[in-house]
């Protein structure tokens, strides 16, 4: 005998040596078994009723009267029990399958939520990332921020690999198990009712994973460019700081030297003048050395800053304030012109000081010599006056007087010349 279901109830087909006989058992609410709970209720009801009635071919109509079931015999109870046991086993199997399918759906939901969030992250360009602290949108403008963004992308890749090996693999294995499950007996069969949902979920994950890979591949070059641009910016800005620092050093040196060049030293001798000229020459050498050591490199560095440019498929950048850099160099050029003018003027003054002091020293030397001659002349005059005041003894002989006069004449000729004019020339 084989029992099959129909809209009118349970149909029994008998197989034997005689002619086949068929009959229908009405399927009431008590005998419907479409889920585990239904099967359990039917089993309980069958066991509660008197089995002898079924063996005698009786059944209870709706009004409570015993009704003989034509064609039913003593084996009907065993058959019904077998069918209900099969229903229970099938529905338990189906319930387990549906539970697995629900777990598959839950796993898909988790993966889908994660992939949606990561796809939104990958598609966002960093200028659109919200800075919740300042409540504004920020761009990647530092090396640290660029490295952070690359670290976040690396973290995403690691998370994706972990999700692939764990969540996605587990979901797909569960999906395979659900689709492979099949309950089959001589009374009934069962496979999962919605295999297309399982397949659609897994296809959606594959599509999302492919899109994540594509967007990640697009995002990484952008982040690499952020890092390269910011490293370039940092280098150029360091150049700018060095440029400013050199300008400050030169300006400090200039202020000291400008003050020095504007001072008028007191020159009291040629040595003072020579010392100040030597100091001025040292200044000129110092200025030449500083020009080579700092001014020229500063100008070269400024040119590098103004010409520096980052250019890629994703961004371009040049230093934002090139005119300020150029202004510092112009300022130094102006200062150098000022120093040159002041130095020229100072040298002219010192040269004049030296010439004056040399002339003064020569004049003083002449005056000193003049003073010496005056003293000699005064001494001579005093000696002559003393001589003239002296009264000689005229009692001497004439020859002695002549001798004395001759000696006096020779003395005058030997010291002062033979004439008054010669004597004055010698004095002068």
């Amino acid at each position: 005998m084989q029992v099959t279901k129909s809209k009118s109830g349970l149909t029994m087909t008998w197989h034997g040596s005689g002619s086949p006989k068929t009959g229908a058992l009405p399927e009431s609410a008590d005998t419907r078994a479409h889920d585990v709970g239904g099967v359990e209720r039917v089993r309980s009801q069958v066991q509660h009723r008197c089995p002898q009635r079924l063996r005698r071919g009786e059944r209870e109509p709706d009004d409570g009267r015993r009704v003989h079931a034509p064609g039913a015999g003593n084996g009907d109870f065993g058959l019904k029990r077998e069918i209900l046991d099969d229903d229970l086993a099938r529905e338990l199997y189906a319930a387990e399958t549906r539970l697995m399918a629900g777990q598959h759906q839950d796993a898909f939901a988790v993966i889908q939520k994660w992939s949606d969030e990561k796809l939104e992250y990958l598609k966002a360009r960093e200028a659109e990332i919200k800075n919740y602290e300042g409540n504004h949108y920020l761009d990647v403008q530092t090396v640290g921020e660029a490295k952070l963004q690359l670290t976040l992308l690396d973290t995403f890749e690691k998370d994706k690999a972990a999700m692939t090996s764990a969540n996605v693999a587990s979901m797909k294995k569960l999906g395979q198990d659900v689709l492979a499950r099949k309950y089959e007996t001589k009374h009934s069969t069962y496979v999962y009712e919605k295999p297309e949902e399982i397949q659609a979920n897994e296809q959606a994950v594959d599509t999302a994973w492919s899109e994540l890979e594509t967007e990640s591949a697009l995002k990484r070059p952008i982040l690499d460019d952020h890092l390269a641009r910011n490293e370039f910016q940092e280098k150029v800005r360091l150049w700018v700081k060095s440029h400013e620092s050199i300008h400050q050093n030169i300006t400090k040196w200039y202020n000291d030297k400008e003050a020095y060049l504007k001072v008028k030293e007191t020159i009291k001798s040629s040595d003072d003048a020579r010392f100040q000229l030597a100091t001025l020459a040292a200044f000129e050498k110092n200025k030449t050395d500083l020009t080579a050591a700092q001014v020229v490199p500063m100008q070269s560095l400024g040119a590098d800053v103004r010409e520096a440019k980052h250019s890629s498929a994703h961004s371009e950048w040049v230093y934002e304030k090139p005119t300020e850099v150029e202004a510092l160099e112009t300022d130094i050029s102006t200062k150098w012109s000022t120093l040159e003018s002041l130095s020229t003027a100072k040298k002219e003054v010192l040269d004049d000081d030296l010439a004056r002091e040399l002339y003064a020293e020569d004049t003083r030397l002449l005056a000193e010599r003049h003073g010496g001659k005056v003293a000699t002349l005064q001494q001579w005059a005093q000696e002559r006056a003393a001589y003239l005041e002296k009264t000689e003894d005229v009692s001497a002989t004439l020859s002695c007087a002549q001798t004395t006069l001759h000696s006096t004449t020779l003395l005058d000729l030997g010291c002062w010349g033979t004439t008054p004019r010669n004597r004055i020339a010698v004095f002068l």
Side-chain angles (χ1 to χ4, degrees):
M1 178 186 72
Q2 182 176 359
V3 180
T4 58
K5 287 187 175 183
S6 65
K7 290 184 179 180
S8 60
L10 297 176
T11 301
M12 296 177 292
T13 304
W14 298 85
H15 301 278
S17 58
S19 299
K21 297 179 181 180
T22 61
L25 294 176
E27 188 179 276
S28 65
D30 292 337
T31 59
R32 294 190 183 97
H34 298 303
D35 54 32
V36 177
V39 172
E40 291 288 357
R41 287 195 300 274
V42 171
R43 168 181 280 184
S44 176
Q45 293 169 2
V46 171
Q47 291 176 343
H48 183 267
R49 292 173 179 173
C50 181
Q52 288 83 359
R53 295 173 181 171
L54 290 175
R55 284 199 297 269
R56 290 197 301 268
E58 297 177 352
R59 65 181 177 84
E60 293 185 0
D62 291 340
D63 57 3
R65 295 181 292 105
R66 293 186 179 89
V67 178
H68 180 74
N74 293 334
D76 288 346
F77 177 78
L79 175 61
K80 190 174 186 71
R81 177 63 178 269
E82 183 179 344
I83 293 172
L84 292 176
D85 285 341
D86 179 70
D87 284 342
L88 177 60
R90 184 191 68 248
E91 293 305 323
L92 288 172
Y93 189 87
E96 184 179 2
T97 303
R98 295 185 191 105
L99 178 62
M100 293 170 63
Q103 294 172 343
H104 185 275
Q105 181 63 37
D106 293 342
F108 168 72
V110 171
I111 295 171
Q112 185 180 44
K113 181 181 179 182
W114 182 89
S115 64
D116 287 346
E117 291 175 355
K118 297 308 177 183
L119 190 59
E120 182 179 1
Y121 152 72
L122 291 173
K123 286 184 175 181
R125 297 303 170 241
E126 279 52 51
E128 301 169 357
I129 295 177
K130 188 140 187 208
N131 177 7
Y132 292 98
E133 293 181 0
N135 194 28
H136 65 278
Y137 292 93
L138 58 92
D139 199 352
V140 179
Q141 293 295 342
T142 64
V143 172
E145 180 65 22
K147 289 182 177 180
L148 173 62
Q149 294 300 330
L150 281 168
T151 300
L152 292 176
L153 184 60
D154 292 339
T155 301
F156 155 76
E157 293 290 353
K158 292 178 181 178
D159 290 347
K160 177 173 171 288
M163 288 287 289
T164 301
S165 61
N167 297 59
V168 175
S170 176
M171 184 198 75
K172 289 189 174 183
K173 178 62 171 62
L174 188 59
Q176 291 175 358
D177 292 343
V178 170
L179 296 178
R181 286 174 68 85
K182 182 178 181 180
Y183 178 87
E184 185 174 13
T185 68
K186 64 180 180 178
H187 300 295
S188 62
T189 60
Y190 171 82
V191 293
Y192 182 58
E193 302 89 344
K194 300 176 182 179
E196 67 281 357
E197 291 185 358
I198 301 290
Q199 296 166 349
N201 288 346
E202 296 183 0
Q203 181 60 45
V205 170
D206 291 340
T207 301
W209 247 234
S210 177
E211 194 172 2
L212 289 174
E213 290 177 3
T214 300
E215 292 298 331
S216 178
L218 291 174
K219 192 178 189 72
R220 186 168 291 278
I222 296 174
L223 297 184
D224 288 338
D225 179 68
H226 280 324
L227 179 60
R229 185 187 68 252
N230 279 283
E231 287 178 338
F232 183 77
Q233 289 175 346
E234 192 171 87
K235 179 177 70 174
V236 173
R237 291 191 174 110
L238 284 175
W239 290 353
V240 172
K241 288 183 178 179
S242 297
H243 189 268
E244 293 172 349
S245 178
I246 294 173
H247 176 267
Q248 291 173 358
N249 292 337
I250 295 174
T251 299
K252 181 180 179 181
W253 181 89
Y254 164 81
N255 291 335
D256 293 340
K257 299 309 176 183
E258 182 190 29
Y260 154 70
L261 291 173
K262 287 182 177 180
V263 170
K264 177 62 181 77
E265 293 82 4
T266 301
I267 304 298
K268 295 182 178 181
S269 66
S270 61
D271 288 340
D272 290 345
R274 289 189 183 96
F275 174 78
Q276 293 301 330
L277 283 169
T279 302
L280 182 62
F283 155 76
E284 289 292 348
K285 184 178 185 307
N286 191 0
K287 176 172 172 285
T288 300
D289 293 342
L290 190 69
T291 300
Q294 295 197 36
V295 176
V296 173
M298 174 188 172
Q299 293 171 341
S300 176
L301 190 59
D304 291 341
V305 170
R306 291 188 294 273
E307 295 171 3
K309 182 178 181 180
H310 169 83
S311 180
S312 71
H314 304 288
S315 65
E316 291 186 357
W317 181 85
V318 294
Y319 182 61
E320 304 90 343
K321 302 175 182 178
T323 55
E324 293 185 3
V325 174
E326 189 173 6
L328 295 182
E329 295 169 17
T330 302
D331 178 62
I332 295 302
S333 296
T334 302
K335 284 178 168 58
W336 247 231
S337 296
T338 301
L339 291 178
E340 186 175 351
S341 299
L342 292 174
S343 177
T344 300
K346 190 177 187 72
K347 188 173 188 307
E348 291 177 356
V349 172
L350 292 176
D351 285 340
D352 180 71
D353 287 340
L354 177 61
R356 185 191 69 247
E357 292 302 321
L358 288 173
Y359 186 86
E361 289 172 0
D362 288 342
T363 302
R364 293 186 190 101
L365 180 61
L366 289 173
E368 183 179 351
R369 291 173 60 188
H370 180 271
K373 296 296 182 180
V374 169
T376 301
L377 183 58
Q378 287 176 343
Q379 183 180 1
W380 178 84
Q382 289 174 358
E383 290 175 353
R384 296 288 80 85
Y387 165 74
L388 293 174
E389 292 176 353
K390 182 179 178 182
T391 302
E392 287 82 3
D393 186 5
V394 296
S395 62
T397 61
L398 178 62
S399 59
C400 291
Q402 289 177 341
T403 301
T404 301
L405 178 61
H406 179 69
S407 298
T408 303
T409 302
L410 289 175
L411 178 62
D412 291 342
L413 291 174
C415 294
W416 304 104
T418 58
T419 65
R421 179 177 294 178
N422 290 338
R423 291 173 187 171
I424 295 172
V426 171
F427 171 74
L428 293 175

